[in-house]
Amino acid sequence: QLTRALKDDRFVLHYQPIISLHGDTDERYEVFVRLEAEESDQLIMPQDFLPAAERIGMSIAIDRWVLFRTIKEFTKKQSEGIQTRFFIKLSAPSIKDDTLMDWLTYQVKEKNIPANSLNFEIKESVAITNLKSAKNLSQKFKTIGCGFVLDDFGAGANPFQLLEHVDVDYIRIDRDLMNDLTENPQNQETIKRIATRATELGKFTIAQHVPDASSLSVLWGMGVNFIQGHFLQEPLPEMEYDFTEISG
């Protein structure tokens, strides 16, 4: 089914806005992939097909499809006079794929993509288990003007130790730290510590899965830079979010 989906172009992209808490009105979207079911109009979520894709060696091909389509969308937005920054997930096999950087370097030069327009995400756990590849990739991304994001940051025992090896631009805070945020002093303290240290190191922080407006206020008070979550907007096939809505 996955092989046919690639062949028949049945993957689709959805986009979720990443919104500044401090007045930056640049467009930022995280890219999500969905699979159109063969027998119905339903969309299959990534958690239901990406683990299988990784097991059978197809995740590199799916990552490359997502990247190709995202660059296409970037070019379209640029032609409309809109500068958009995209955040794109990479699977563990992709960060060890030697052909990725050559392909990406060519695309960035050929399409004249400005610096910081494409930002690549890998999970903290993947970076730890593939440290050499993650380190090399973070350095290579810098040379072609692409950003690097550590996702689910803060889950490990000493996450900042990882930043001594991997050069990242953004830290996306582990989703579990959002649980009962307004009522959980321990999670608040952990997030505040991450936000403070990230600022000292010149990294931006993103809080994901923000559940409500009161959590938003707490995160703003802690100095977190960006937020995303379904209460602001769920991932959608169109990019229509008004980034001036909560600026300032």
Side-chain angles (χ1 to χ4, degrees), residues 144-230:
I144 60 169
C146 290
F148 201 35
V149 186
L150 268 183
D151 197 7
D152 291 344
F153 186 86
N158 189 358
F160 280 99
Q161 198 170 9
L162 187 58
L163 299 187
E164 294 170 16
H165 305 281
V166 183
D167 189 359
V168 305
D169 304 278
Y170 295 84
I171 290 164
R172 182 183 274 115
I173 298 164
D174 184 39
R175 67 183 67 193
D176 289 345
L177 292 170
M178 290 300 126
N179 293 339
D180 303 317
L181 179 62
T182 53
E183 310 296 327
N184 190 323
Q186 192 176 349
N187 282 4
Q188 289 179 26
E189 186 54 44
T190 302
I191 291 170
K192 190 173 183 183
R193 195 166 63 244
I194 289 172
T196 302
R197 186 75 183 113
T199 302
E200 289 168 2
L201 295 170
K203 319 292 184 192
F204 292 113
T205 45
I206 304 170
Q208 58 178 325
H209 292 266
V210 178
D212 49 43
S214 53
S215 298
L216 186 158
S217 302
V218 170
L219 293 164
W220 181 84
M222 292 173 179
V224 168
N225 302 108
F226 297 94
I227 56 168
Q228 63 185 117
H230 283 34

Side-chain angles (χ1 to χ4, degrees), residues 24-215:
D24 179 347
T25 57
D26 285 1
E27 280 203 0
R28 289 176 175 82
Y29 284 100
E30 184 175 12
V31 179
F32 294 86
V33 65
R34 311 283 190 248
L35 171 60
E36 292 175 342
E38 286 183 329
E39 306 299 330
S40 69
D41 294 335
Q42 285 191 313
L43 291 177
I44 302 169
M45 295 292 109
Q47 62 268 26
D48 296 325
F49 66 84
L50 286 181
E54 198 160 321
R55 279 197 306 275
I56 62 171
M58 274 194 68
S59 54
I60 288 175
I62 294 171
D63 282 359
R64 195 69 65 92
W65 182 92
V66 169
L67 187 46
F68 178 78
R69 290 300 293 264
T70 303
I71 290 172
K72 209 171 171 181
E73 285 298 324
F74 172 84
T75 306
K76 185 181 164 195
K77 298 276 275 184
Q78 194 176 40
S79 71
E80 296 165 357
I82 304 166
Q83 290 295 333
T84 305
R85 301 180 191 216
F86 288 103
F87 289 69
I88 306 145
K89 298 173 189 292
L90 289 179
S91 64
S94 277
I95 73 169
K96 294 181 280 190
D97 173 19
D98 293 335
T99 69
L100 173 66
M101 280 311 302
D102 290 340
W103 184 86
L104 189 56
T105 302
Y106 173 79
Q107 293 290 332
V108 166
K109 285 180 180 170
E110 193 207 26
K111 308 285 194 308
N112 200 21
I113 297 173
N116 306 314
S117 300
L118 302 178
N119 300 277
F120 295 93
E121 308 170 12
I122 66 168
K123 291 186 181 297
E124 179 189 86
S125 56
V126 170
I128 290 167
T129 52
N130 301 275
L131 189 55
K132 190 178 178 185
S133 297
K135 183 180 180 179
N136 290 341
L137 206 57
S138 72
Q139 292 165 348
K140 287 175 180 174
F141 280 144
K142 284 284 176 296
T143 65
I144 60 169
C146 290
F148 201 35
V149 186
L150 268 183
D151 197 7
D152 291 344
F153 186 86
N158 189 358
F160 280 99
Q161 198 170 9
L162 187 58
L163 299 187
E164 294 170 16
H165 305 281
V166 183
D167 189 359
V168 305
D169 304 278
Y170 295 84
I171 290 164
R172 182 183 274 115
I173 298 164
D174 184 39
R175 67 183 67 193
D176 289 345
L177 292 170
M178 290 300 126
N179 293 339
D180 303 317
L181 179 62
T182 53
E183 310 296 327
N184 190 323
Q186 192 176 349
N187 282 4
Q188 289 179 26
E189 186 54 44
T190 302
I191 291 170
K192 190 173 183 183
R193 195 166 63 244
I194 289 172
T196 302
R197 186 75 183 113
T199 302
E200 289 168 2
L201 295 170
K203 319 292 184 192
F204 292 113
T205 45
I206 304 170
Q208 58 178 325
H209 292 266
V210 178
D212 49 43
S214 53
S215 298

